[in-house]
Amino acid sequence: MWCERPDFRNGSKEKIKDYITYFEGTCELCIGNLGIQKYLTDVESIISKEAENDDEMNMLVYYIAGVIHYKISENEQAVDCWKASEKYARKLTDDIFLAKIFSYYAIIYYIEKDFDRSSVYFDEAASIFAVHKMYTELALHYINYLWYKRYDPDKNEVSAYLDMAFYYVQLSNSIMDARVYLHLGYIYKTIFNDFIRGIGYLNIARDMCCKNNNVEMESMTLHTLADGYMKLSHYSESIRIYEQLMTESRYANITENLKCAIMSNLIPCYVYIGDYEKASLYLDKMKQLSANTQVNARPYFDCLSNWLTAMIHIKKNEKLDEVLPLLSSCTNFCDKDSRPIQMDSFDLKLAESFGEYYEAVGDYDNSLKYYLMMEKLSEKYADSDKMNACDRLSSVYEKRGDFKTALEFKKKGTEYFNNIDRENILNQYDQLYKKFFKSIQDEQLKNLFETNENLTRVAYIDELTQVHNRLYYQDFTERFGKKGTYSVIMFDLDYFKEYNDNYGHLKGDICLATSARIVQETIPKDEYDVRCHFIRYGGEEFVILAENYSSDEIVALAEKIRKNVENAKIEHNFSKCSQYLTLSAGCSTGIFSNNAEMESLVASADRALYEAKKNGRNVVMHS
């Protein structure tokens, strides 16, 4: 640890001051469990000789004892120690240590929601630091407080505190400044979705860590960088960084706390790309390492392990009977423990997992309940989290057949996507990543982020048939469709239920995908998605919206599609009109200038389809 100086004798004031510098400037995850116990033992041995110590030593040793207890979430013990330190600071008229103690009191009262007392202590500490021009302490004062205040609804106040932290850290010159820049980068990235400014601060933090050989904080900076990639759904780059942290010798001695925190992100990355084997391997490793984490952190990591286990079961669609107890244990832990868990936005992730579970078992009512909860929770997080919540809701509403609401959430999600300046983020990540590892490929950078057009295209494509989905149809009349003459073909596969029931749903899916491909190939290539828009309307039912087609032209196209499907000779021994798969089609032609007119056109084609079925099927009718 960089605070250890072998030339200092045990119990010296210089050594205690070094402990203070270390604990004030280091994140909790970067402090090892054994290290904390060692320091606490040293400090308590000096406290036991309180009567023999001078007043300054007692002030220092009680103060650092309070900081150590605070770092392991023992707030009551911390306050007791600070009150003892305060007594000696007042006796010595040491304003600086009084301000340090007041700064921590402000946090404790904020956690306890005693905001008035918190504000009084915060202002008093800031005033003392400012009078003495203690810029490092002022920067840490704002950053420490912000760590708990960062999710406040009043983002203007949070932003003002960030500006103050940045202002004072520029005037400072301390090895503790890396922690300030790291947290500035984290908060701008996570809370304000300002990746560019966040990456700039992370870069400064990393440079300072290298200069002072502070490998733990450097690792935290990398962890924050990889988390940014993860929030942008670029999991391969997150994995690249996390794997180097887990395997390179430079980072071999980072604490078990930090390793477990890294794995709690790495495991979901592997889950999202479908590598469940790697995810499970790291989950086992995390469970083993958590036994060596700080005592107060172990319940957190146990909770995360349960959540990650549930996540893997959901994604693999196995052991679903074990999922609810695992997720419920996480909820119970969070309800009874007021301290923040060692993963950002865990409440959001937990709500998402509940929603995924209920979606997996087909309980869409409960799934919507948790996704709506997820949307509400996302209000305090980044645009990427809000976008994810909207996409989840859109998916379930689509499965329920409420395409209008599904489309509304899809549009909302796209708006959040557009708020992210992805090209500039790419450039900043490029610089930072190259500085860390010097190994990223230009071709990989080109593919780092999907374009907005790509995202929109995927949103409107039916996964099974790879044609447009019902969301596209819903949006067509509002944004995509040009006003004018349109013809509609509505068709479905004859006796498809009998096909599914007898050949099985897997073959049924193959049959649908094959039929859709035949129709795609029948539509002239230069007209597909230009004049002819092919949509899976629902189940085995499809629609073609054709611009500027006459009645004769649309009937001719429908007849050609019917013949091509029949000529494909897809065996259907359970059809009542042929030994092969066939389709029936209904056509209509009219003017489109608003939603109601398009619905009328589609309804007319649907009536013609009904007539086709009455006339023996495997025919085309025009209304």
Side-chain angles (χ1 to χ4, degrees), residues 499-519:
Y499 189 99
N500 249 346
D501 290 346
N502 289 280
Y503 289 104
H505 288 279
L506 179 58
K507 276 202 168 184
D509 286 349
I510 294 170
C511 176
L512 278 172
T514 303
S515 303
R517 189 181 69 250
I518 293 168
V519 176

Side-chain angles (χ1 to χ4, degrees), residues 490 584-588 602-615 619-623:
M490 178 170 275
S584 300
C587 307
S588 65
V602 172
S604 181
D606 193 28
R607 287 193 296 271
L609 172 59
Y610 177 74
E611 290 298 320
K613 291 179 179 180
K614 279 177 62 178
N615 281 275
V619 294
V620 174
M621 301 290 290
H622 191 286
S623 63

Side-chain angles (χ1 to χ4, degrees), residues 3-22:
C3 73
E4 295 289 353
R5 301 190 193 181
D7 54 316
F8 285 166
R9 60 187 174 79
N10 189 39
S12 69
K13 289 180 184 176
E14 290 82 3
K15 191 174 186 69
I16 297 303
K17 288 176 181 178
D18 238 22
Y19 283 5
I20 291 171
T21 299
Y22 175 64

Side-chain angles (χ1 to χ4, degrees), residues 179-195:
R179 182 168 182 264
V180 176
Y181 282 111
L182 170 59
H183 284 78
L184 282 169
Y186 173 85
I187 294 172
Y188 272 112
K189 175 186 71 69
T190 303
I191 309 304
F192 289 97
N193 207 42
D194 190 342
F195 284 79

Side-chain angles (χ1 to χ4, degrees), residues 44 47 65 106 120 122 135 150 159 173 205 228 353 365 382 435 487 498 508 523 554 568 595 606 609:
E44 286 175 344
I47 288 176
V120 168
F122 182 88
Y135 300 123
R150 65 193 190 278
S159 183
N173 182 22
S353 292
D365 288 342
K435 193 164 188 178
S487 289
E498 287 77 2
I523 298 171
I554 201 66
N595 293 8
D606 193 28
L609 172 59

